[in-house]
């Protein structure tokens, strides 16, 4: 099975296709296979690699209760060195966008170009207070039923166009439920605390990696103004704005809109 053994971590990864490497980093509680909307699009001429981050999917972390975004970036660096041919295109969404930024800062020699989506230099405002509140709720033993969880998280993932379309919503419920229906408290706490603690505001003005930030106009988890600001304080960055999409619209809602934007950035022409 495709595992990479690291210190304290048995890292699950998936790889498919052949050609120049694209490395995909999932968001919180998402896993490698959730990138299928993207990897199927790019597989004609690229090798696509992703992983289950600490606290999600098949990756095993033993007794670990705490880790940082930097730790997860180091996991990615080890995997890129082992199964890819660096430098690679690095693309991340949400928490994965934070990891992508840290990877570009800590391991620039591995990154050809970095595309953080729905991610900013640090967590602030509503998103930060929401995560801190749920961390506290989970530490006290609080849980959500699967039925409530998929509605609670679903409205943070998708824009009104999805919520107001019964057929589309019903088609996405299995994906939402698989990711968020039953979350183990210590895994959620570990991932979200890492996001709360993350801050690369001081590093971005010195980062030599080419960064292409993507913000979504209807993203309430990471509003596009925060993404734009992160691009503005970075040394080598471009901001790309996509209207009408929410935080995870790239998965199941309008994936090809995002795929086309990524294609434009990396210069890929689908066959």
């Amino acid at each position: 099975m495709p595992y990479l053994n690291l210190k304290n971590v048995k890292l699950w990864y998936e790889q498919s296709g052949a050609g120049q490497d694209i490395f995909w980093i999932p968001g919180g509680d998402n896993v490698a296979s959730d990138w299928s909307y993207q990897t199927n699009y790019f597989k004609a001429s690229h090798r696509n690699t992703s992983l289950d981050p600490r606290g999600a999917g098949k990756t095993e972390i033993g007794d670990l209760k705490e880790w940082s975004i930097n730790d997860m970036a180091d996991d990615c660096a080890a995997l890129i060195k082992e199964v890819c041919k660096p430098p690679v295109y690095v693309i991340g969404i949400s928490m994965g966008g934070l990891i992508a930024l840290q990877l570009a800062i800590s391991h620039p020699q591995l990154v050809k170009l970095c595309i953080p989506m729905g991610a900013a230099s640090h967590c602030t405002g509503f998103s930060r207070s929401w995560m801190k509140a749920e961390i506290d709720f989970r530490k006290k033993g609080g849980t959500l039923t699967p039925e409530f969880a998929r509605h609670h998280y679903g409205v943070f993932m998708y824009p009104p166009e999805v919520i107001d379309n019964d057929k589309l919503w019903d088609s996405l419920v299995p994906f939402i439920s698989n990711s968020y229906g039953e979350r183990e408290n210590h895994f959620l706490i570990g991932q979200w605390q890492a996001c709360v603690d993350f801050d690369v505001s001081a590093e971005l003005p010195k980062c030599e990696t080419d960064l292409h930030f993507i913000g979504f106009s209807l993203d309430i988890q990471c509003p596009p103004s925060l993404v734009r600001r992160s691009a503005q304080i970075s040394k080598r960055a471009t901001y790309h704005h996509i209207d009408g999409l929410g935080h995870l619209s790239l998965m199941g809602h309008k994936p090809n809109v995002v795929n086309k934007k990524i294609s434009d950035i990396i210069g890929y022409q689908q066959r």
Side-chain angles (χ1 to χ4, degrees), residues 187 223 226:
F187 288 153
L226 298 180

Short mmCIF file of all heavy atoms in Angstrom, two decimals, residues 187 223 226:
data_model
loop_
_atom_site.label_atom_id
_atom_site.label_comp_id
_atom_site.label_asym_id
_atom_site.label_seq_id
_atom_site.Cartn_x
_atom_site.Cartn_y
_atom_site.Cartn_z
N PHE A 187 -8.65 14.68 16.49
CA PHE A 187 -8.14 14.98 15.15
C PHE A 187 -8.55 16.39 14.73
O PHE A 187 -7.75 17.14 14.18
CB PHE A 187 -8.64 13.96 14.13
CG PHE A 187 -8.01 12.61 14.26
CD1 PHE A 187 -8.69 11.47 13.84
CD2 PHE A 187 -6.74 12.45 14.80
CE1 PHE A 187 -8.11 10.21 13.94
CE2 PHE A 187 -6.15 11.20 14.90
CZ PHE A 187 -6.84 10.08 14.47
N PRO A 223 -12.55 34.91 3.54
CA PRO A 223 -13.02 35.93 2.61
C PRO A 223 -11.92 36.38 1.66
O PRO A 223 -10.75 36.44 2.03
CB PRO A 223 -13.45 37.07 3.54
CG PRO A 223 -13.82 36.38 4.82
CD PRO A 223 -12.84 35.25 4.94
N LEU A 226 -8.98 38.78 2.54
CA LEU A 226 -7.82 38.28 3.28
C LEU A 226 -6.82 37.63 2.34
O LEU A 226 -5.60 37.74 2.54
CB LEU A 226 -8.27 37.27 4.34
CG LEU A 226 -9.20 37.79 5.44
CD1 LEU A 226 -9.54 36.67 6.42
CD2 LEU A 226 -8.56 38.96 6.18
#
